[in-house]
Amino acid sequence: MKRLLIFFLLSALFLSSCAAADPPAKETDPPGSDPAASDTLPETSGTTKDTEKPTETDDPGTDETAPETGAETEPETEPATEPVKETEPAPETDPPIPDDEPTWTVGFGSREIAIPEKTDEPLYIAGYHQGWEIAGVSDLQRANAVWLDGGEGGILMIGIDCVGLSSDVVNEIRSRLSDLVKESGCVSVNVYATHTHAGIDTLGLWGPTGIDGKNKDFMENLKAAAAEAAKEAYENRAAGRLYCGSVDTGDLQKDSRNPKCFDPNLYQLRFQPKEEGNGVRLFFYAAHAESMRGDNKLVSRDYPGVLIDTVEEKTGDKGIFFPGAIGGLIMTEAQIPEPFSGDDAVKNRDLTGKRLAEYALSINNETVVAPSAAVSTVKFEVPLDNIVFQYYKFLGILGSEIKGGDPNGEYYMVSELSVVKIGKLAIGLLPCELTPELALGGSALKKSDPEPLNGIAAEAGFEKLLLVGLCNDEMGYVIPPSQFLLNPDAPYIDRIKDETGEDHYEETNSVGPEIANAIAEAFRKAIGA
Amino acid sequence: MAFAVGTALLLTAFAVLSACFLLRHLGGLIRLLPVGEDAKELLAPIFDQLITAKIAPKCVIPFLLLLLPSLLFWFCLPKGKTRPFVFVLYLILCLVFLLLAFLFTVLFSKVNGVRLFDVLRSLLRLISNGLLDRM
């Protein structure tokens, strides 16, 4: 009997010690750091995976009519299985906010974008193939909005789950919010796309050739949802504290074009309300939302939707996703063997999104961001060299602003670029898909290329730069001039491979070779360097 | 005078109807051209767009209005058997001139900020190289 008792006691001790060694539950709130406001932003582990010389040739696809390819013809690859690194346990609750501490005012709003039941026009799925109609809905596209006010006027960020938005749609959403802007003292309304490749065409480029792929009824629903989400974000605003943190996402991303260069970090701005209520998380991540790949015909927000839903489920916090420097061409690794479609596409999306959510919940290097947010916007123009863009503009499909033409047929695309300045943190709002080396720099850039945006931000005194791509317009890919290569026979129509076998697909969806310099120059003006 | 007015109206009506028919069906006519399917796919929407943007009617009306004062030319011609022939010849020349001016205006008028001329120039260069059929 005595021996049995000792055995039970030893067993209980062993089990309790095992339980104590387990990683913290994912439901725990990410760590609140020192509640004293700090201007120092968190150090990030690793910045780029930059190799100057190409080591492999990724063929992003061979479907030559597809406006965008990334992986439809990727060779079968092994799924990425690197587990999320274990991190320091996060405290269960955030420290309270003292009454005398200056606070942020943040609000969140969200609306589903309804798919019109009765419509005269087809609903094309955007991102890969022209003329493919949707076959069903996995999860509806949404318009998410966040109101961000550091005491110098509110800034609205409206994120639409879609492939991209031209400036005409952005301006119409802005005009629908003109009353709110007057009432609230809002200083800047920004509308961007999460770039899901599983959404209904919002640029018009994925209908049959020469036919507008946009569905008017869906676009109306989109604009209405965006305006309603923005109004809700303003109405839901509350005072609180903002944290900034980041985590390296390991091998979750891949670069389909040499040189391999991208930012592997998931950045998070997390709002903790002073009173009762849910927090808001702003996720910044550089990867195309195309985890469902090119054979998918189901409407979905892709992995950003799973990321947001999972984090909300575990923490109660609302989430909004911002695509970073995703050009040239950054995507997520497959979590199951490729190629896949149908249910497997949904499975891969879910695995990708949940893995990213685990990373988000493991962030443990947060610092408090002192309230202050100002915006500066610069209008700029770029020579429009792409004849396909000209053609689509003539047909009234492309909604971006164009000027020129007289007398020699030279056109310019007119757009805008903004920088949100939050203490030592800058957030660049870029109307394009920026190739990461143009932001991060490194040996991939040559003398003929512009200074990287990180360097320009540092010159202006900023410690950290976050980027939001496809914001307020969509000008396509931005490629360093030293890498820009066109097919001499059919520029912007046929792709070409260089002497290393690298496929220069991205150029066919670019305004022209001068866009990189124009973006860098506009960024320099906006940030005040 | 009745002859002059009648002839002018008749020729004008004929020109307008022909222009309308051509423009209305230009997209369809393009599809009958002996070029590749890709080229047709790209070219046809351009001419459809001329109708959608109502660019053609905007251009044709001013030119037709210019035709009316030319009726005064009837009174400048000496009376005689050749008067009607000269007048009809004059009207035809006027219409040809107006048609050319009309085409020129359409080519260089901007639709959504882009000139038809520039779009056609780019596409025709590709079509002439037979490149579009490889798309």
Side-chain angles (χ1 to χ4, degrees):
Chain A
M1 186 64 189
K2 207 173 180 179
R3 281 182 185 169
L4 200 65
L5 201 64
I6 290 169
F7 173 75
F8 275 127
L9 277 171
L10 285 172
S11 303
L13 274 171
F14 177 73
L15 287 172
S16 61
S17 67
C18 283
D22 277 345
K26 292 288 186 287
E27 288 83 358
T28 51
D29 232 12
S33 55
D34 186 351
S38 161
D39 277 345
T40 310
L41 295 163
E43 289 292 321
T44 54
S45 58
T47 50
T48 64
K49 295 179 178 177
D50 183 355
T51 53
E52 186 179 6
K53 287 186 180 177
T55 52
E56 57 181 280
T57 305
D58 283 358
D59 183 2
T62 54
D63 182 349
E64 301 201 328
T65 59
E68 177 138 18
T69 61
E72 65 265 43
T73 56
E74 283 278 329
E76 191 163 301
T77 54
E78 285 299 313
T81 53
E82 184 186 302
V84 177
K85 287 173 194 164
E86 283 190 17
T87 54
E88 290 293 315
E92 289 190 10
T93 53
D94 286 314
I97 302 169
D99 284 341
D100 58 347
E101 181 181 314
T103 55
W104 285 87
T105 305
V106 173
F108 178 83
S110 183
R111 286 285 187 282
E112 277 184 346
I113 306 171
I115 294 178
E117 287 179 10
K118 290 178 182 174
T119 181
D120 299 332
E121 298 166 327
L123 291 154
Y124 295 109
I125 198 156
Y128 284 92
H129 308 280
Q130 283 183 288
W132 278 29
E133 293 188 36
I134 63 166
V137 178
S138 177
D139 57 308
L140 282 174
Q141 294 165 252
R142 298 189 75 93
N144 293 324
V146 67
W147 173 272
L148 198 64
D149 186 352
E152 292 147 55
I155 299 164
L156 264 173
M157 296 297 303
I158 306 169
I160 314 284
D161 291 304
C162 67
V163 74
L165 293 166
S166 296
S167 57
D168 61 335
V169 178
V170 172
N171 289 334
E172 192 170 336
I173 292 169
R174 283 173 171 165
S175 70
R176 289 182 189 208
L177 292 169
S178 56
D179 288 343
L180 176 72
V181 168
K182 280 179 200 161
E183 175 199 331
S184 64
C186 177
V187 293
S188 178
V189 178
N190 303 286
V191 188
Y192 67 93
T194 61
H195 204 42
T196 174
H197 282 40
I200 291 164
D201 188 1
T202 48
L203 285 171
L205 304 177
W206 284 272
T209 304
I211 309 290
D212 193 349
K214 295 191 286 288
N215 178 296
K216 286 190 182 65
D217 298 321
F218 180 78
M219 292 306 292
E220 174 52 37
N221 291 352
L222 183 150
K223 291 170 204 164
E228 284 168 18
K231 286 171 188 167
E232 189 180 72
Y234 176 66
E235 284 161 12
N236 288 346
R237 68 197 187 282
R241 184 187 281 157
L242 196 67
Y243 300 90
C244 180
S246 67
V247 63
D248 187 327
T249 61
D251 62 355
L252 193 56
Q253 294 148 298
K254 71 170 178 177
D255 190 343
S256 68
R257 172 171 165 158
N258 286 313
K260 306 295 182 204
C261 173
F262 55 85
D263 186 343
N265 296 300
L266 169 69
Y267 298 94
Q268 177 184 268
L269 289 177
R270 186 173 65 85
F271 173 70
Q272 172 205 350
K274 192 172 183 177
E275 307 295 334
E276 287 293 306
N278 293 327
V280 180
R281 294 177 189 233
L282 288 68
F283 300 112
F284 299 79
Y285 194 56
H288 271 64
E290 55 174 334
S291 67
M292 298 177 82
R293 302 298 197 252
D295 288 334
N296 170 62
K297 287 185 180 178
L298 295 177
V299 169
S300 173
R301 294 170 292 163
D302 209 285
Y303 76 81
V306 180
L307 162 69
I308 287 166
D309 292 350
T310 308
V311 170
E312 183 176 359
E313 192 183 301
K314 301 213 173 190
T315 65
D317 288 352
K318 302 289 182 187
I320 183 167
F321 179 87
F322 296 85
I326 61 173
L329 186 154
I330 316 302
M331 60 199 304
T332 51
E333 282 280 8
Q335 305 299 301
I336 56 174
E338 292 191 82
F340 52 73
S341 59
D343 289 344
D344 283 342
V346 175
K347 187 180 172 187
N348 189 61
R349 176 202 68 190
D350 290 348
L351 287 170
T352 307
K354 282 179 180 165
R355 215 178 134 198
L356 201 54
E358 278 184 56
Y359 279 118
L361 294 169
S362 73
I363 289 174
N364 65 354
N365 58 354
E366 286 184 315
T367 54
V368 174
V369 182
S372 163
V375 185
S376 59
T377 300
V378 169
K379 272 226 163 199
F380 67 101
E381 55 190 56
V382 192
L384 175 57
D385 197 40
N386 190 324
I387 55 170
V388 180
F389 282 10
Q390 277 181 32
Y391 171 77
Y392 274 99
K393 181 63 187 172
F394 177 86
L395 295 181
I397 295 172
L398 201 65
S400 298
E401 188 182 342
I402 281 179
K403 73 173 205 180
D406 303 317
N408 47 8
E410 285 178 7
Y411 292 91
Y412 297 86
M413 193 176 265
V414 183
S415 196
E416 65 176 77
L417 183 151
S418 300
V419 174
V420 182
K421 299 166 186 172
I422 302 175
K424 296 288 182 188
L425 167 71
I427 304 176
L429 311 180
L430 314 180
C432 54
E433 296 168 62
L434 191 78
T435 303
E437 47 265 41
L438 287 168
L440 302 169
S443 56
L445 293 185
K446 307 295 176 205
K447 276 186 180 174
S448 57
D449 298 324
E451 187 180 353
L453 302 192
N454 267 358
I456 297 171
E459 277 176 32
F462 290 91
E463 289 177 2
K464 187 71 205 165
L465 172 67
L466 301 181
L467 294 175
V468 180
L470 297 114
C471 192
N472 297 326
D473 204 356
E474 164 59 324
M475 304 176 87
Y477 289 107
V478 180
I479 300 149
S482 65
Q483 297 174 27
F484 203 96
L485 189 66
L486 288 173
N487 185 315
D489 297 326
Y492 301 104
I493 292 179
D494 275 355
R495 296 145 73 154
I496 193 169
K497 287 187 178 179
D498 61 25
E499 65 276 8
T500 67
E502 189 69 52
D503 185 7
H504 287 250
Y505 150 73
E506 287 80 7
E507 282 83 340
T508 60
N509 274 340
S510 178
V511 170
E514 293 185 44
I515 177 122
N517 282 310
I519 290 283
E521 200 50 43
F523 181 77
R524 185 183 292 282
K525 282 181 190 163
I527 206 165
Chain B
M1 182 60 197
F3 172 81
V5 174
T7 313
L9 285 176
L10 204 66
L11 278 172
T12 305
F14 175 75
V16 170
L17 287 173
S18 304
C20 289
F21 177 83
L22 273 175
L23 285 167
R24 181 73 187 83
H25 297 284
L26 208 50
L29 292 172
I30 291 293
R31 290 180 178 93
L32 298 175
L33 286 176
V35 292
E37 284 303 314
D38 295 324
K40 287 177 195 171
E41 268 185 31
L42 283 170
L43 282 172
I46 290 176
F47 294 99
D48 294 339
Q49 178 64 9
L50 293 179
I51 303 299
T52 310
K54 297 185 171 59
I55 190 77
K58 282 174 199 164
C59 294
V60 81
I61 290 167
F63 289 117
L64 290 176
L65 289 175
L66 279 175
L67 193 65
L68 293 175
S70 72
L71 288 174
L72 296 173
F73 184 67
W74 174 260
F75 300 104
C76 303
L77 290 171
K79 287 180 182 176
K81 283 184 181 177
T82 55
R83 193 184 192 191
F85 297 107
V86 174
F87 185 69
V88 169
L89 192 65
Y90 165 78
L91 278 179
I92 289 170
L93 283 172
C94 279
L95 283 171
V96 168
F97 171 76
L98 291 177
L99 187 67
L100 287 173
F102 163 70
L103 286 175
F104 187 82
T105 311
V106 170
L107 274 174
F108 290 93
S109 292
K110 284 182 180 172
V111 179
N112 296 314
V114 182
R115 299 184 306 193
L116 174 64
F117 175 79
D118 297 319
V119 177
L120 283 179
R121 186 177 53 177
S122 305
L123 292 181
L124 290 175
R125 195 180 300 148
L126 296 170
I127 291 166
S128 64
N129 291 341
L131 291 166
L132 289 182
D133 296 335
R134 293 195 288 102
M135 278 173 66

